Amino acid sequence: MKIATFNVNGVNTRLSTLLRWLEERRPDVVCLQELKAPQAQFPARALKDAGYDAAWVGEGRWNGVALLSRIGAPVVTRRALPGDPADAQARYIEAAVAGVLVGGLYLPNGNPHPGPKFDYKLAWFERLIAHAASLLESGAPVVLAGDFNVVPTEADIYNSRSWKKDALLQPESRAAWAGLVGQGWTDALRERFPHQPPWTFWQYFRQDWERDAGLRIDHLLLSPALADAGVDRHVRGWDRASDHAPVWIELEG
C-alpha cells in the first residue's frame, strides 16, 4: 500500500497539478493539507472521476485537510484532534483504509515567533503527542502523515542561517517533534535516507527551488513497521506548483 502526503497549497487552484500527480504515481491513500476551500467547494467529483474516494474537513481561505483513497472509501474516525473542543481550525482528519489507520494533519506554522500563534502551535503539538500515544497503545497499524511545520534537525534544511527566528526551527518545536517520535514512531524518510533526507518544501521567492534551497517539514510517521519512502521532487518544478512536493511511503505486505 502506497500512502502519500501532499500540502497542495490550494486544492482548487492546483487541481490540475494534483490530478496529474495522482495519474502519474497512483498512490493508494493520500493526505492533503492546505485545501484553502470551504467544505462545499472541495472538488470531490473531479477526484472521484480520477478514481479516488475522499473525506475532508474544509475551512474558508485557510487550512483544510483531506484523505483520498482508491482502495475503498475512508472510514472516518475523527475530524478534529482531541483535547480542545473550542479549536475550530481544520487541521486533522483520521480514517481507516484497508486495515490501516491514517491520521492526516496540518500542524500550525507558529509564526511570528514569539507570540500567540507560536503558543497555539506548541499547544496543538502537545495535543498531537497525547493522541499519538493513544494510537500506539491501540496496537493498530497507524500512519501519521502531513505537514508538521517543523524542521527536525540541522540536517533537514539547506542552511538555517536565515531561519533562526522562524517557528519551524525553534528549540521548543524540535523538542516537541523529538518527544513525538520518541514514543516509538518511525520517521519514514529519515529511516530510508539516514544521512541526507530529501527536502519537501521550497519557498517561492529568492529562487529557492532553482537553488535547491529546501527544507524537510512534510513527514510520515509509522507505528512499528517497515516501508520504503521517497519524495516526488519533480512535482515542485511543474507549472503552478505548490511550494511543497508530495512525500510517500510504501508499506510492505
Side-chain angles (χ1 to χ4, degrees):
M1 181 193 299
K2 180 177 283 188
I3 302 175
T5 180
F6 189 9
N7 181 322
V8 72
N9 192 16
V11 69
N12 289 306
T13 301
R14 306 188 204 286
L15 183 57
S16 61
T17 298
L18 174 60
L19 293 173
R20 177 182 172 186
W21 170 69
L22 291 173
E23 177 63 26
E24 176 187 282
R25 298 294 286 168
R26 302 299 291 166
D28 297 304
V29 179
V30 182
C31 298
L32 297 178
Q33 304 88 47
E34 276 201 272
L35 303 180
K36 296 182 177 179
Q39 191 75 6
Q41 293 181 16
F42 183 79
R45 173 49 57 188
L47 291 164
K48 183 69 172 179
D49 290 345
Y52 287 85
D53 293 303
W56 67 95
V57 184
E59 183 189 336
R61 296 174 56 201
W62 313 110
N63 306 323
V65 288
L67 283 174
L68 314 182
S69 170
R70 68 181 186 94
I71 54 173
V75 179
V76 176
T77 54
R78 291 188 181 274
R79 293 184 180 272
L81 187 67
D84 184 359
D87 185 1
Q89 295 191 25
R91 294 186 175 274
Y92 188 82
I93 188 168
E94 184 180 290
V97 183
V100 177
L101 192 62
V102 181
L105 63 97
Y106 178 44
L107 204 140
N109 175 281
N111 284 305
H113 162 267
K117 291 185 177 181
F118 188 66
D119 295 341
Y120 173 63
K121 177 191 186 81
L122 296 183
W124 205 96
F125 223 143
E126 287 303 312
R127 289 163 55 203
L128 177 63
I129 290 169
H131 183 55
S134 70
L135 293 176
L136 280 181
E137 290 169 4
S138 74
V142 183
V143 176
L144 291 176
D147 179 355
F148 284 73
N149 268 318
V150 60
V151 176
T153 71
E154 292 298 297
D156 296 295
I157 185 170
Y158 74 102
N159 188 326
S160 65
R161 184 172 57 250
S162 62
W163 292 80
K164 291 298 185 183
K165 295 183 179 181
D166 196 280
L168 277 62
L169 278 73
Q170 294 309 303
E172 299 94 330
S173 302
R174 287 177 164 176
W177 168 264
L180 174 61
V181 175
Q183 293 176 337
W185 297 93
T186 297
D187 177 350
L189 281 183
R190 172 66 67 185
E191 184 79 6
R192 175 67 176 79
F193 304 97
H195 302 298
Q196 182 57 69
W199 312 141
T200 70
F201 170 83
W202 300 257
Q203 295 182 105
Y204 286 126
F205 44 91
R206 293 199 296 262
Q207 293 191 306
D208 279 10
W209 167 247
E210 292 78 4
R211 296 186 297 115
D212 196 25
L215 34 151
R216 187 173 76 103
I217 58 176
D218 304 272
H219 308 296
L220 289 139
L221 298 184
L222 316 180
S223 59
L226 296 176
D228 193 12
V231 175
D232 288 341
R233 184 182 186 279
H234 64 287
V235 176
R236 177 59 176 81
W238 289 352
D239 290 341
R240 299 180 64 80
S242 171
D243 42 7
H244 295 249
V247 185
W248 56 267
I249 58 169
E250 192 156 9
L251 300 179
E252 296 186 352

